[in-house]
Amino acid sequence: MIKRERRTFTAEFKKQMVQLYQNGKTKRAIIDEYDLTPSSLDRWIHQDETSGSFKEKDNRTAEQQELLELRKELKQLRMENDILKQAALIMGRK
């Protein structure tokens, strides 16, 4: 198996690939011509159909978004708790 170097594509390029597919060009032809991976093209087509955006944050489900927000809140609360523990130790010494 050949390991590919990670490449990045602009939103314009992704949109062009999706338009080629929608205009009747086969996935195999697009993949071969532009040296893409099948999973990338499939993901771009799915993202265009669902949200019209290729940004990951725009394509998250409600559950994924809620999970990220809860993790962020938990991190904040743990940090605040650690600060309060340190303050209690300092106040206890006096």
Side-chain angles (χ1 to χ4, degrees), residues 75-88:
K75 184 178 178 180
Q76 178 70 25
L77 291 172
R78 284 182 174 162
M79 185 175 62
E80 291 172 1
N81 195 22
D82 288 341
I83 291 170
L84 290 173
K85 285 180 183 178
Q86 291 295 325

Side-chain angles (χ1 to χ4, degrees), residues 28-50:
R28 175 61 27 207
I30 296 169
I31 290 167
D32 291 341
E33 185 175 343
Y34 294 96
D35 192 32
L36 301 173
T37 60
S39 60
S40 293
L41 183 59
D42 288 338
R43 184 175 58 251
W44 298 342
I45 292 169
H46 177 73
Q47 289 173 340
D48 186 65
E49 290 172 352
T50 55

Side-chain angles (χ1 to χ4, degrees), residues 49-75:
E49 290 172 352
T50 55
S51 69
S53 173
F54 298 109
K55 295 179 182 176
E56 286 300 318
K57 69 175 187 163
D58 295 336
N59 289 295
R60 292 185 186 128
T61 64
E63 292 83 16
Q64 290 171 328
Q65 187 64 33
E66 181 182 15
L67 182 59
L68 286 173
E69 290 169 4
L70 289 172
R71 285 180 178 163
K72 185 176 179 180
E73 182 180 357
L74 178 61
K75 184 178 178 180

